[in-house]
Amino acid sequence: MKNSGSNRLKILFASSEAQPLIKTGGLADVAGSLPIALSEMGQDVRLVLPAYPQAVVGAAPLIPVTSLKLPGYSGIIRVLEGRLRGDVPVYLIDAPDLFNRPGNPYADPSGADWSDNAERFALFCQVVSQLSLNRAGLHWRPDLIHCNDWQTGLIPALLAFEHNRPASVFTIHNLAYQGIFNRSTFSRLGLAEKLWRYEGLEFNNSLSFMKGGLAFSDWVTTVSPTYAREILTATLGYGLEGLLQYRADRLQGVLNGVDYTVWDPASDPAIPQHYDATTFHLKKINKSFLQREMGLPEREDALLFGHIGRLVEQKGVDLIMQILPGMLKFPHVQLVILGSGDPELERFLCQECGKHPDRIAAVIGYNEGMAHRIEAGCDLFLMPSRYEPCGLNQLYSLRYGTVPVVHRTGGLSDTVINATPRNLLVGSATGFVFDRPDVDSLWRTVNIAVDLYGRPKAWWHKLAVNGMHQDFSWNSSARHYMEIYQKAINNPALNPLAGAVLP
Ligand code: ADP
């Protein structure tokens, strides 16, 4: 039941992507499902994102609700209101010169970053700040603004100098992408000179959007407890570990949830055969269908490995490439890969498919439906990420009975329980976990998985079905966010520049 009482929080959720309106990665899954979970808990939550053409189509029907002018942008900026999955209000910031473009939120159709990304997301941040101060004619003042990743990082910085500002929470989805631009961009954006400080937005003599979120928000969160610890170290802190250590008493890891209305093999409209933990044997129908779809021989006895994701170093796809010769020595092993990214990895993958068309199939590109069918059709899911803030595919894999093989890092370490002999015996195992992101460790673990698959089927069944029973729904994570929102509202952080001697 929805809460309409006075304890209902007003939350503005700012993101550069949200599924099903526009998606390049896990941030979209979170921004498309956490607001729904919060709304179902009775909160007045509204989403705001740029009016990309895909979002305009997806959130329709749209009503222009207000418009504003801002220094540095010559046109009129309209705010269009639509709905996310018919429920949560979505405000689309319509600055056509900046957002009405082909390609994805960050890059042109050839994959090159838009050269004016600083201007695009700075404007987005300025508009969202105005909305959250109720200065844009919406007649709605949020209690809290929840910002996500560097594209929204300037919002807490812009708000920090305002009286009666809403509380702010900033979530790091991936610390490696920081929104770094040069000093002249800082000047061009017309940001207040006082922000150009070590305690502010300046980072190694450059402008860091990410630092805005880390330094000025009331609370910082990231998407798993283990990643929250890892970013305090030099290895995964990317030079920001000092600032994060300084903010450690207001830094928390909250595991991403899964939207099981979208990712559930019992009801998934994208897969040919529905199944659940009690009808696990039906999963093999999805395997046959996937083998056919990917042009692989249809073999029930095949051990089908899958991988989906951005083809970048972070995801360890190169490690998969290096164990391919070994994998191919098992006559029953097949592999399907869906992804795009590094052109060299793409080329190498295509070459390998050409050499072994009956064993390896790769699709270069982005295909939501196919991602669901890979989850449903594979036996094992490879995720050897070098680091992984949370990771979603291992969570989808668990629900689909597709046993994940993961490196013990970030959210992978928080969500998959290794199939040691003891864990298998007591029934707690949900996947295969290895300690070092290198070829030997991955190869050893793949061997353990292949060996277990060859044993009496009851073992595999127990492992896969145990994964299917795990609950990573938003219920508990959304409650954690609510606790953090309350702490941010009740106990605002000091402006880090308040005590600084300003020039
Ligand atoms: P990241 O955000 O680092 O890319 P996550 O595991 O958090 O990684 O989330 C990735 C999301 O994007 C998942 O929902 C995954 O299924 C999806 N995805 C990634 N690449 C593709 C692709 N090529 N086609 C379809 N979905 C993809």
Side-chain angles (χ1 to χ4, degrees):
M1 205 179 72
K2 289 215 174 185
N3 165 8
S4 55
S6 57
N7 55 351
R8 192 174 187 224
L9 282 189
K10 296 201 280 289
I11 303 157
L12 184 59
F13 196 95
S15 175
S16 55
E17 50 182 284
Q19 177 71 350
L21 306 179
I22 181 145
K23 168 169 168 177
T24 70
L27 169 60
D29 291 288
V30 175
S33 51
L34 174 56
I36 302 265
L38 292 165
S39 164
E40 279 167 1
M41 288 169 70
Q43 312 310 322
D44 177 3
V45 54
R46 306 183 187 188
L47 179 66
V48 57
L49 71 164
Y52 316 109
Q54 302 93 318
V56 166
V57 172
L62 293 170
I63 309 164
V65 280
T66 189
S67 60
L68 63 159
K69 285 223 28 123
L70 283 177
Y73 186 76
S74 57
I76 290 180
I77 302 155
R78 292 192 309 162
V79 180
L80 312 171
E81 182 175 341
R83 285 277 181 282
L84 178 72
R85 299 215 224 127
D87 180 15
V88 167
V90 185
Y91 297 124
L92 297 182
I93 306 308
D94 185 27
D97 312 352
L98 299 181
F99 301 124
N100 186 9
R101 300 178 180 180
N104 79 29
Y106 322 113
D108 68 21
S110 80
D113 277 357
W114 296 111
S115 59
D116 56 353
N117 271 344
E119 282 79 3
R120 298 171 74 231
F121 291 108
L123 181 98
F124 179 60
C125 290
Q126 275 167 2
V127 175
V128 176
S129 311
Q130 293 299 307
L131 293 183
S132 62
L133 293 163
N134 197 16
R135 286 189 192 148
L138 271 191
H139 309 295
W140 184 78
R141 176 187 280 274
D143 302 304
L144 179 132
I145 164 113
H146 188 156
C147 304
N148 295 276
D149 270 354
W150 74 261
Q151 295 84 359
T152 59
L154 296 185
I155 299 168
L158 293 169
L159 291 176
F161 298 89
E162 300 286 347
H163 295 294
N164 292 326
R165 65 171 176 88
S168 59
V169 169
F170 181 81
T171 298
I172 307 163
H173 295 261
N174 192 336
L175 192 62
Y177 301 92
Q178 299 181 359
I180 303 283
F181 302 95
N182 58 24
R183 174 69 167 96
S184 59
T185 306
F186 176 85
S187 308
R188 213 171 51 245
L189 294 178
L191 293 164
E193 267 312 304
K194 63 187 171 194
L195 290 169
W196 186 262
R197 292 188 62 92
Y198 167 76
E199 300 88 340
L201 302 179
E202 188 263 330
F203 181 58
N204 297 333
N205 210 30
S206 294
L207 159 66
S208 164
F209 274 52
M210 177 68 98
K211 261 190 95 180
L214 303 186
F216 292 92
S217 58
D218 294 305
W219 270 80
V220 180
T221 73
T222 188
V223 288
S224 69
T226 295
Y227 192 60
R229 289 190 298 275
E230 290 171 339
I231 56 178
L232 299 179
T233 67
T235 319
L236 288 178
Y238 294 94
L240 290 166
E241 60 276 13
L243 172 56
L244 288 163
Q245 286 161 16
Y246 177 70
R247 301 229 60 200
D249 59 337
R250 285 168 181 265
L251 167 67
Q252 201 166 328
V254 181
L255 207 57
N256 283 338
V258 175
D259 184 344
Y260 289 128
T261 64
V262 177
W263 291 96
D264 183 356
S267 55
D268 187 337
I271 68 174
Q273 175 63 56
H274 290 158
Y275 62 100
D276 60 22
T278 60
T279 54
F280 181 69
H281 60 280
L282 296 175
K283 181 172 163 63
K284 60 176 180 284
I285 298 171
N286 293 299
K287 175 146 112 184
S288 306
F289 188 94
L290 180 65
Q291 288 166 325
R292 225 175 311 140
E293 181 177 7
M294 305 296 279
L296 292 171
E298 238 177 290
R299 284 178 55 183
E300 197 184 320
D301 68 331
L303 177 54
L304 184 54
F305 286 79
H307 177 80
I308 304 164
R310 294 179 292 116
L311 300 178
V312 293
E313 204 205 352
Q314 177 203 338
K315 301 289 178 182
V317 200
D318 54 311
L319 303 178
I320 302 178
M321 300 295 100
Q322 289 177 74
I323 63 163
L324 273 186
M327 286 176 82
L328 291 171
K329 287 194 184 131
F330 295 112
H332 63 310
V333 161
Q334 296 177 337
L335 170 66
V336 298
I337 296 189
L338 166 64
S340 62
D342 180 345
E344 215 156 282
L345 280 172
E346 290 183 357
R347 233 183 343 265
F348 183 78
L349 257 180
C350 294
Q351 256 172 28
E352 291 301 306
C353 293
K355 279 196 242 162
H356 312 281
D358 54 338
R359 310 292 299 284
I360 309 169
V363 171
I364 304 299
Y366 188 92
N367 187 326
E368 191 72 23
M370 186 178 281
H372 285 244
R373 288 188 293 281
I374 291 177
E375 288 292 3
C378 289
D379 299 298
L380 283 146
F381 194 91
L382 292 173
M383 224 162 152
S385 308
R386 291 191 162 81
Y387 71 92
E388 193 59 82
C390 177
L392 289 168
N393 275 121
Q394 85 281 13
L395 301 179
Y396 304 149
S397 300
L398 288 171
R399 178 50 59 112
Y400 283 69
T402 303
V403 181
V405 178
V406 305
H407 169 216
R408 195 187 304 284
T409 183
L412 300 176
S413 147
D414 291 336
T415 54
V416 182
I417 301 169
N418 193 20
T420 59
R422 185 186 167 279
N423 289 345
L424 280 169
L425 265 179
V426 299
S428 62
T430 58
F432 300 92
V433 187
F434 56 95
D435 287 318
R436 294 168 58 91
D438 58 32
V439 176
D440 283 352
S441 307
L442 174 62
W443 176 233
R444 232 176 298 123
T445 310
V446 162
N447 273 279
I448 294 171
V450 172
D451 179 60
L452 189 74
Y453 191 76
R455 297 196 175 228
K457 283 287 164 241
W459 283 107
W460 194 265
H461 183 269
K462 189 173 172 184
L463 175 64
V465 166
N466 190 34
M468 295 180 83
H469 282 132
Q470 304 304 303
D471 180 5
F472 290 104
S473 59
W474 273 107
N475 296 341
S476 118
S477 297
R479 270 200 307 277
H480 272 119
Y481 275 113
M482 284 302 296
E483 286 163 19
I484 291 169
Y485 293 164
Q486 283 297 353
K487 286 193 272 193
I489 290 167
N490 296 340
N491 187 10
L494 284 179
N495 180 339
L497 295 180
V501 183
L502 300 177

